[in-house]
Amino acid sequence: NDLPPVLLPISVLFDLLGAFLKRESLKAAGFWTLVIGVAGSGLAIISGLVAEDATANGVEARGLMGTHETLAFIAVGLFAILAIWRLVRKGIWNEKEQPIALTAGVIGVALIVVTAMIGGKLVFDHGVGIPTPALQSALQDRTAAAAAERVPASAAPAAALPVPAAQPVPGDTAVPPAR
């Protein structure tokens, strides 16, 4: 789900470089990454909608999911408009259109960054997408590890490890210690 949206900022980067360096090859790369990124991001949204109810989530996570979903729709919608506009213009914006399109692309990139940050919060702060049994197992492991770390060294049983006897090193003339 993360790859297609990454293509959209890359398309903006190609377009910005193409505009400043006046390289048609970079503009063409921007066009194709835009078209593929929009199509793939649409599929990523569908996948997210299908997965939305796959695991149990808390109230706060549900609210964040709504914001994440809305921003994803807006960002992909913006880039879809840019892609359609570019298709109608046969892949090339004129001098008046290009600054408008590039500004819209930069705004779209900002939307994708915010959407991704919220997606990260959903996974790492709320455990969204992690099946409940796996989450419970991870919590038990963490609790046990934390409890083991809190045990003071004096309370821990001392391990009775045998101390190996010193072995003489060949060529060493030192007198071994008395036992």
Side-chain angles (χ1 to χ4, degrees), residues 149-172:
E149 288 176 2
R150 284 193 292 265
V151 175
S154 60
L161 297 175
V163 178
Q167 300 293 322
V169 177
D172 188 5

Side-chain angles (χ1 to χ4, degrees), residues 26-39:
L26 290 171
K27 292 178 185 179
F31 171 75
W32 288 109
T33 54
L34 174 63
V35 170
I36 294 167
V38 166

Side-chain angles (χ1 to χ4, degrees), residues 1 6 35 51 67 73 102 119 130 133 144 154 174 179:
N1 272 349
V6 169
V35 170
T67 303
F73 276 122
L102 291 175
I130 302 170
S154 60
R179 291 190 189 232

Side-chain angles (χ1 to χ4, degrees), residues 37-143:
V38 166
S41 295
L43 294 173
I45 286 176
I46 292 168
S47 165
L49 292 171
V50 169
E52 184 175 9
D53 296 320
T55 57
N57 299 300
V59 174
E60 187 177 351
R62 285 256 174 223
L64 281 174
M65 286 171 74
T67 303
H68 179 75
E69 181 179 306
T70 301
L71 289 174
F73 276 122
I74 293 169
V76 173
L78 176 62
F79 280 107
I81 290 168
L82 290 173
I84 292 166
W85 182 13
R86 199 135 176 207
L87 286 166
V88 168
R89 301 290 295 149
K90 301 206 182 347
I92 300 171
W93 288 308
N94 66 33
E95 288 182 23
K96 290 181 182 179
E97 295 171 326
Q98 190 172 29
I100 296 167
L102 291 175
T103 301
V106 170
I107 291 168
V109 169
L111 285 168
I112 287 174
V113 169
V114 173
T115 303
M117 289 171 56
I118 293 171
K121 281 182 142 249
L122 285 167
V123 173
F124 296 108
D125 293 350
H126 297 281
V128 171
I130 302 170
T132 302
L135 191 57
Q136 288 172 335
S137 175
L139 288 171
Q140 288 173 347
D141 289 348
R142 286 182 185 177
T143 303

